[in-house]
Amino acid sequence: IHYTAMSTQLVFVLVALSAVAAYDFQDSRFNELLADRLEDWDFSARVRRDISPEDDDSDKFLKCKHHHGKTCCGKGRWLKHFGDKNKEAFSDCFDDFVNKLNASGISTGGDPFSCERVNQMKMKVICTTECVAKKADLIDEKGALKLEKSLGYMEKLELEDWQKPILEEAIKKCVPTANNTLVSTPSTGDIKCNPVLLNLQHCLYHEVEKNCPEDQKKTDGKCKKIFEKTKV
């Protein structure tokens, strides 16, 4: 009887984990962070085309940009670049997706707010994120996240002492539940990409705020409402 009960529980857990959906772009706050990142990728790609690689001014252009999507826990945007700290890598990945889209013959012009263009933007985020995850050796040959590599990636981030244990626990919780099913849209043809790193980033974003120390919580009205919801 005990064996049967344990087996039933195990099956339930496996089903629950496999049922975690890919990020659906319905989280407005996380979307702000993604939009900011997309702007970085696009801007960085244009700067690289217009400025010589030997020119140190390329970083100055990026630093002058106004950024959004900051976390309500701690200063700055310390979670923004989990998996994509390498600027050259994500610029290459961004260009790679654009080239694939152009090679497919699919139009990227027209109404920027049409369903087609919005779907292309979503796939641009998913595919670029998958590409940088591969370059950072964060996913295995089956497309699943590597837990130890993900934990090791924390060393690349500029973390304060209080942030490390929170992020470590969040990674341990989020990695096993990050869905790695390939996704595609009619607006991007045969291009299929793995959203697993994007799913991880979304999970980390909320886990960090859920476990944010009281003395690190921002006190503006927007953040207060967010922390009230995390208590429920």
Coordinates of all heavy atoms in Angstrom, one line a residue, residues 70-110:
K70 N 13.1 47.2 -13.8 CA 13.9 46.9 -12.7 C 13.2 46.1 -11.7 O 11.9 46.2 -11.6 CB 14.4 48.2 -12.0 CG 15.4 49.0 -12.8 CD 15.8 50.3 -12.1 CE 16.8 51.1 -12.9 NZ 17.3 52.3 -12.2
T71 N 13.9 45.2 -10.9 CA 13.2 44.4 -9.9 C 12.8 45.3 -8.7 O 13.4 46.3 -8.5 CB 14.2 43.3 -9.4 OG1 13.5 42.6 -8.4 CG2 15.5 43.9 -8.9
C72 N 11.9 44.8 -7.9 CA 11.4 45.5 -6.7 C 12.3 45.0 -5.5 O 12.1 45.5 -4.4 CB 10.0 45.2 -6.4 SG 8.8 46.2 -7.5
C73 N 13.2 44.1 -5.8 CA 14.0 43.6 -4.7 C 15.5 44.0 -4.9 O 16.2 43.5 -5.8 CB 13.9 42.1 -4.6 SG 14.9 41.3 -3.3
G74 N 16.0 44.9 -4.1 CA 17.4 45.3 -4.2 C 17.6 46.4 -5.3 O 16.6 46.9 -5.9
K75 N 18.8 46.8 -5.5 CA 19.1 47.9 -6.4 C 19.4 47.3 -7.8 O 19.8 46.2 -8.0 CB 20.3 48.7 -6.0 CG 20.1 49.3 -4.6 CD 21.4 50.1 -4.2 CE 21.2 50.7 -2.8 NZ 22.5 51.4 -2.4
G76 N 19.2 48.2 -8.8 CA 19.6 47.8 -10.2 C 18.7 46.7 -10.8 O 17.6 46.5 -10.4
R77 N 19.3 46.0 -11.8 CA 18.7 45.0 -12.5 C 19.5 43.7 -12.5 O 19.9 43.2 -13.5 CB 18.4 45.5 -14.0 CG 17.6 46.7 -14.1 CD 17.6 47.3 -15.5 NE 19.0 47.7 -15.8 CZ 19.5 47.4 -17.0 NH1 18.8 46.7 -17.9 NH2 20.8 47.7 -17.3
W78 N 19.8 43.3 -11.2 CA 20.7 42.2 -11.1 C 20.3 40.8 -11.6 O 21.1 39.9 -11.8 CB 21.1 42.0 -9.6 CG 20.0 41.8 -8.6 CD1 19.0 42.7 -8.2 CD2 19.6 40.6 -7.9 NE1 18.2 42.2 -7.3 CE2 18.5 40.9 -7.1 CE3 20.2 39.3 -7.9 CZ2 17.9 39.9 -6.3 CZ3 19.6 38.4 -7.1 CH2 18.5 38.6 -6.3
L79 N 19.0 40.7 -12.0 CA 18.6 39.4 -12.6 C 18.5 39.5 -14.1 O 18.2 38.5 -14.8 CB 17.2 39.1 -12.0 CG 17.2 38.2 -10.8 CD1 15.7 37.9 -10.4 CD2 17.9 36.9 -11.0
K80 N 18.6 40.7 -14.6 CA 18.3 40.9 -16.0 C 19.1 40.0 -17.0 O 18.6 39.5 -18.0 CB 18.5 42.4 -16.4 CG 18.2 42.6 -17.9 CD 18.5 44.1 -18.3 CE 18.3 44.2 -19.8 NZ 18.6 45.6 -20.2
H81 N 20.4 39.9 -16.7 CA 21.3 39.2 -17.6 C 21.7 37.8 -17.2 O 22.8 37.3 -17.4 CB 22.6 40.0 -17.8 CG 22.3 41.2 -18.6 ND1 21.8 41.2 -19.9 CD2 22.4 42.6 -18.3 CE1 21.7 42.5 -20.3 NE2 22.1 43.3 -19.4
F82 N 20.8 37.1 -16.5 CA 21.1 35.7 -16.1 C 21.1 34.8 -17.4 O 20.1 34.6 -18.0 CB 20.0 35.1 -15.1 CG 20.5 33.8 -14.6 CD1 21.2 33.7 -13.4 CD2 20.2 32.6 -15.3 CE1 21.6 32.4 -13.0 CE2 20.6 31.4 -14.8 CZ 21.3 31.3 -13.7
G83 N 22.3 34.4 -17.8 CA 22.4 33.6 -19.0 C 22.9 34.3 -20.2 O 23.4 33.7 -21.1
D84 N 22.8 35.7 -20.1 CA 23.3 36.4 -21.3 C 24.2 37.6 -21.0 O 24.0 38.7 -21.5 CB 22.1 36.9 -22.2 CG 21.1 37.7 -21.4 OD1 21.4 38.2 -20.3 OD2 20.0 37.9 -21.9
K85 N 25.1 37.4 -20.1 CA 26.1 38.4 -19.8 C 27.0 38.7 -20.9 O 27.6 39.8 -21.0 CB 26.9 38.0 -18.5 CG 26.1 38.1 -17.2 CD 25.9 39.6 -16.8 CE 27.2 40.2 -16.3 NZ 27.0 41.6 -15.9
N86 N 27.3 37.8 -21.8 CA 28.2 38.0 -22.9 C 27.5 38.8 -24.0 O 26.7 38.3 -24.7 CB 28.6 36.6 -23.4 CG 29.7 36.7 -24.5 OD1 29.8 37.6 -25.2 ND2 30.6 35.7 -24.5
K87 N 27.9 40.1 -24.1 CA 27.3 41.0 -25.0 C 27.5 40.5 -26.5 O 26.6 40.6 -27.3 CB 27.8 42.4 -24.8 CG 27.2 43.0 -23.5 CD 27.6 44.5 -23.5 CE 29.0 44.7 -23.2 NZ 29.4 46.2 -23.0
E88 N 28.7 40.1 -26.8 CA 29.0 39.7 -28.1 C 28.2 38.4 -28.5 O 27.7 38.3 -29.6 CB 30.5 39.3 -28.3 CG 30.9 39.0 -29.7 CD 32.4 38.8 -29.9 OE1 33.1 39.1 -28.9 OE2 32.8 38.3 -30.9
A89 N 28.0 37.5 -27.6 CA 27.2 36.3 -27.8 C 25.8 36.6 -28.1 O 25.2 36.1 -29.1 CB 27.3 35.3 -26.6
F90 N 25.2 37.5 -27.3 CA 23.8 37.8 -27.5 C 23.5 38.6 -28.8 O 22.5 38.5 -29.4 CB 23.0 38.3 -26.3 CG 23.3 39.7 -25.9 CD1 23.0 40.8 -26.7 CD2 23.7 40.0 -24.6 CE1 23.2 42.1 -26.3 CE2 23.9 41.3 -24.2 CZ 23.6 42.4 -25.0
S91 N 24.5 39.4 -29.1 CA 24.4 40.2 -30.4 C 24.5 39.2 -31.6 O 23.7 39.4 -32.5 CB 25.5 41.2 -30.5 OG 25.3 42.3 -29.5
D92 N 25.4 38.3 -31.5 CA 25.5 37.3 -32.6 C 24.2 36.4 -32.7 O 23.7 36.1 -33.8 CB 26.7 36.3 -32.3 CG 28.0 37.0 -32.5 OD1 28.1 38.0 -33.2 OD2 29.0 36.5 -32.0
C93 N 23.6 36.1 -31.5 CA 22.4 35.3 -31.5 C 21.2 36.1 -32.1 O 20.4 35.6 -32.8 CB 22.1 34.8 -30.1 SG 23.2 33.5 -29.5
F94 N 21.2 37.4 -31.7 CA 20.1 38.2 -32.2 C 20.2 38.3 -33.8 O 19.2 38.2 -34.5 CB 20.3 39.6 -31.6 CG 19.3 40.6 -32.0 CD1 18.1 40.7 -31.3 CD2 19.5 41.4 -33.1 CE1 17.1 41.7 -31.7 CE2 18.5 42.4 -33.5 CZ 17.3 42.5 -32.8
D95 N 21.4 38.5 -34.3 CA 21.7 38.6 -35.7 C 21.3 37.3 -36.4 O 20.8 37.3 -37.5 CB 23.1 39.0 -36.0 CG 23.4 40.4 -35.7 OD1 22.5 41.2 -35.5 OD2 24.6 40.8 -35.5
D96 N 21.6 36.2 -35.7 CA 21.4 34.9 -36.3 C 19.9 34.7 -36.5 O 19.5 34.1 -37.6 CB 21.9 33.8 -35.4 CG 21.7 32.4 -35.9 OD1 22.2 32.1 -37.0 OD2 21.1 31.6 -35.2
F97 N 19.1 35.1 -35.5 CA 17.6 34.9 -35.7 C 17.1 35.8 -36.8 O 16.3 35.3 -37.6 CB 16.9 35.3 -34.4 CG 15.4 35.2 -34.6 CD1 14.7 34.0 -34.6 CD2 14.7 36.4 -34.7 CE1 13.3 34.0 -34.7 CE2 13.3 36.4 -34.9 CZ 12.6 35.2 -34.9
V98 N 17.6 37.0 -36.9 CA 17.1 37.9 -37.9 C 17.5 37.4 -39.3 O 16.7 37.4 -40.2 CB 17.7 39.3 -37.7 CG1 17.4 40.3 -38.9 CG2 17.2 40.0 -36.4
N99 N 18.7 36.8 -39.4 CA 19.1 36.2 -40.7 C 18.2 35.1 -41.1 O 17.9 34.9 -42.2 CB 20.6 35.8 -40.6 CG 21.5 37.0 -40.5 OD1 21.2 38.1 -40.9 ND2 22.7 36.8 -39.9
K100 N 17.9 34.2 -40.1 CA 17.0 33.1 -40.4 C 15.7 33.5 -40.8 O 15.1 32.9 -41.7 CB 16.9 32.2 -39.1 CG 18.1 31.4 -38.8 CD 17.8 30.5 -37.5 CE 19.0 29.7 -37.2 NZ 18.8 28.9 -35.9
L101 N 15.2 34.6 -40.2 CA 13.8 35.1 -40.6 C 13.9 35.7 -42.0 O 13.0 35.4 -42.8 CB 13.4 36.2 -39.6 CG 11.9 36.5 -39.5 CD1 11.1 35.2 -39.1 CD2 11.7 37.6 -38.5
N102 N 14.9 36.4 -42.3 CA 15.1 37.0 -43.6 C 15.2 35.8 -44.7 O 14.7 35.9 -45.8 CB 16.3 37.9 -43.7 CG 16.1 39.2 -42.9 OD1 14.9 39.6 -42.7 ND2 17.1 39.8 -42.5
A103 N 16.0 34.8 -44.3 CA 16.2 33.7 -45.3 C 14.9 32.9 -45.5 O 14.8 32.3 -46.6 CB 17.3 32.8 -44.7
S104 N 14.0 32.9 -44.6 CA 12.8 32.2 -44.8 C 11.8 32.9 -45.8 O 10.8 32.3 -46.2 CB 12.0 32.0 -43.4 OG 11.6 33.3 -43.0
G105 N 12.1 34.1 -46.1 CA 11.3 34.9 -47.0 C 10.1 35.5 -46.4 O 9.2 36.1 -47.1
I106 N 10.0 35.4 -45.0 CA 8.9 36.0 -44.3 C 9.1 37.5 -44.2 O 10.2 38.0 -43.7 CB 8.7 35.4 -42.9 CG1 8.3 33.9 -43.1 CG2 7.6 36.1 -42.1 CD1 8.3 33.1 -41.8
S107 N 8.1 38.3 -44.5 CA 8.2 39.8 -44.4 C 8.3 40.2 -42.9 O 7.5 39.7 -42.1 CB 7.0 40.4 -45.1 OG 7.0 41.8 -44.8
T108 N 9.2 41.1 -42.6 CA 9.3 41.7 -41.3 C 8.8 43.1 -41.3 O 9.1 43.8 -40.3 CB 10.7 41.6 -40.8 OG1 11.6 42.3 -41.7 CG2 11.2 40.1 -40.6
G109 N 8.2 43.6 -42.4 CA 7.8 44.9 -42.4 C 6.3 45.0 -42.1 O 5.7 44.1 -41.6
G110 N 5.7 46.2 -42.5 CA 4.3 46.3 -42.2 C 3.9 46.9 -40.9 O 4.8 47.5 -40.2

